[in-house]
Amino acid sequence: MPEVSVLLPVRDGARTLALAMLSVLEQSFSDFELLVLDDGSVDASPDIALRFDDSRVRLLRDGMKQGLAARLNQGIGLAAGRYIARMDADDVCFPQRFARQAARLNAE
């Protein structure tokens, strides 16, 4: 069971998805899973997610547009981690993000 489940919903985010995913996968903290929740993308977003050869990445897609809240709820239902982290397809993480957040949560 990973410490952190990272939920990354995406719809037509091909321009920024690779960088967002890379910033997650290059974290100093490695005990996580990355759930890429495709919301019916019609661009190359699913293909980009599949290019990452990393056992921590899972692409979840059904070809339907359900919206952000539905995708996040889907991710929560499938998450195996102790903690949930949110990530947007057009954002990047600082390399220490999960290490600092997990340390803080575990200290309380």
Side-chain angles (χ1 to χ4, degrees), residues 15-67:
R15 286 188 11 219
T16 57
L17 181 60
L19 184 58
M21 289 180 66
L22 193 58
S23 77
V24 171
L25 295 172
E26 290 183 343
Q27 290 288 300
S28 63
F29 181 90
S30 62
D31 190 13
F32 64 85
E33 65 177 344
L34 174 58
L35 305 179
V36 179
L37 309 162
D38 183 66
D39 192 36
S41 293
V42 295
D43 69 358
S45 294
D47 297 326
I48 291 167
L50 288 171
R51 284 188 217 141
F52 285 85
D53 186 24
D54 191 307
S55 62
R56 298 171 295 179
V57 175
R58 281 196 292 162
L59 172 64
L60 306 161
R61 63 178 169 172
D62 57 16
M64 298 170 45
K65 181 179 178 186
Q66 295 186 14

